[in-house]
Amino acid sequence: MNPRWNGQFSRFHLVAKAGDRSRSVVRVRGVEIGGDDFVVMAGPCAVESEDQLLRTAESVAKAGARLLRGGAYKPRSSPYSFQGLGEEGLRLLSKARKETGLAIVTEVMSEEDVDLIAEYADVMQVGTRSMENYALLEALGHCGRPVLLKRGMTATLEELLCSAQIVATAGNPEIILCERGIRTFETATRNTLDISAVPVLKTVSHLPVIVDPSHAAGVRSLVPVLARAATVVGADGLLVEVHPHPETALSDGDQSLNFREFREMMLDLEPYLALRQEARPLGPQLVAAGGHD
Ligand code: PEP
Ligand code: MN
């Protein structure tokens, strides 16, 4: 256990855990993230069409997802990739919410889009490429919506918490942290899921922490097993990519589950979620060990 934890993060006073302060719970349309429930957010990488989105929303809701994820504005590494449907995508997300009751999480890439996206979204996602976009983080400080802050692919946990502190200082304490894999020398997976980020973040911060196994793995066969890992290390939920036909998806098809695979993943997680109820005391032990080494 790294004794530096005892002071390293304390300057981020709005997001760091101090003494007995209870954990933050982010409430979104009746769903509590960071409380007792394990909250799964699922849906396509990109909103492609009404049919694609509504079918996905119905299927993931039936399987137990509580929020619908879908990108209307897509940050792509290549200028030749599908860039998203923009405002039309937002309208489709809002239609899917109306039909299924699922809350909506969608990405915002620029401070100029914050007001528009906040009109449609329940949770504002900040992607890995934007984690250090200061103007965006500041604008999210007064957007009136919770922020799902993804870890930059080359960012340390300290840098992630620094970005969270910027949002909180700007006026918005409703923040969910997301571990989505980091760049390492390994090429067998798209990124390397830093599984220890979950217990570390939960030890040093009071914010909810979720895991995105899809962008970590880059291949769908690994998604369910990484999701299992997330449950047993104490994550508060998952962000998972699901598509009716992953092989024809306009983005991230290789890492997207189809409906059956998502249902099976949700069933597979049940015993691990039960196990974690018994393993609860582990959290405080981690803190204590950090204090004495
Ligand atoms: C996404 O969630 O589809 C996405 C682009 O994620 P990330 O920013 O983690 O790459
Ligand atoms: Mn994606």
Side-chain angles (χ1 to χ4, degrees):
M1 200 72 40
N2 188 338
R4 291 174 68 226
W5 290 2
N6 292 325
Q8 187 181 6
F9 301 104
S10 56
R11 66 195 167 95
F12 305 130
H13 59 283
L14 293 175
V15 299
K17 202 147 99 185
D20 290 339
R21 189 194 193 290
S22 56
R23 304 210 61 81
S24 294
V25 174
V26 173
R27 291 180 179 80
V28 186
R29 288 186 178 261
V31 179
E32 292 194 345
I33 302 152
D36 288 339
D37 292 345
F38 186 76
V39 177
V40 177
M41 314 177 187
C45 179
V47 178
E48 297 170 7
S49 69
E50 179 165 339
D51 180 68
Q52 172 241 22
L53 187 68
L54 294 186
R55 284 177 55 212
T56 308
E58 277 164 25
S59 181
V60 299
K62 224 166 136 192
R66 310 290 302 279
L67 281 84
L68 175 66
R69 61 141 290 147
Y73 296 81
K74 293 306 300 175
R76 305 309 303 275
S77 298
S78 160
Y80 307 112
S81 301
F82 178 56
Q83 307 289 319
L85 294 180
E87 194 170 354
E88 172 60 12
L90 296 176
R91 278 192 284 270
L92 294 176
L93 285 164
S94 133
K95 185 162 186 189
R97 172 175 54 212
K98 210 164 159 200
E99 301 212 349
T100 60
L102 291 177
I104 299 299
V105 48
T106 196
E107 177 158 356
V108 53
M109 292 194 294
S110 158
E111 70 274 19
E112 288 160 18
D113 298 333
V114 167
D115 291 345
L116 175 71
I117 295 178
E119 276 178 37
Y120 292 92
D122 299 296
V123 178
M124 311 284 276
Q125 176 175 323
V126 176
T128 192
R129 295 162 188 80
S130 304
M131 190 207 83
E132 289 175 292
N133 180 342
Y134 188 86
L136 174 62
L137 298 175
E138 269 221 313
L140 289 168
H142 29 88
C143 70
R145 299 270 180 263
V147 173
L148 193 164
L149 182 61
K150 289 187 136 191
R151 179 181 185 180
M153 62 181 94
T154 58
T156 63
L157 297 180
E158 186 168 8
E159 288 160 346
L160 172 63
L161 288 173
C162 193
S163 292
Q165 173 79 14
I166 291 168
V167 177
T169 305
N172 189 353
E174 306 272 291
I175 302 164
I176 303 156
L177 302 173
C178 179
E179 163 59 36
R180 49 79 69 202
I182 51 174
R183 280 270 165 92
T184 67
F185 51 80
E186 183 53 69
T187 55
T189 48
R190 183 176 179 183
N191 292 283
T192 297
L193 180 63
D194 180 7
I195 200 70
S196 43
V198 178
V200 171
L201 288 171
K202 293 209 60 159
T203 301
V204 301
S205 168
H206 54 79
L207 299 175
V209 181
I210 66 166
V211 167
D212 171 351
S214 307
H215 290 85
V219 286
R220 83 179 59 96
S221 60
L222 289 180
V223 170
V225 76
L226 295 185
R228 275 187 195 171
T231 66
V232 299
V233 292
D236 294 298
L238 297 173
L239 186 71
V240 182
E241 288 189 334
V242 179
H243 193 284
H245 303 289
E247 52 295 338
T248 61
L250 295 181
S251 68
D252 287 349
D254 289 348
Q255 67 196 32
S256 300
L257 303 180
N258 64 29
F259 296 167
R260 178 184 49 78
E261 289 163 336
F262 180 70
R263 257 193 326 269
E264 286 173 1
M265 182 199 82
M266 294 295 276
L267 288 173
D268 173 75
L269 293 182
E270 281 177 11
Y272 298 92
L273 289 169
L275 192 68
R276 101 202 194 115
Q277 299 296 331
E278 295 164 27
R280 274 264 161 89
L282 187 61
Q285 277 169 27
L286 285 175
V287 180
H292 295 304
D293 273 10

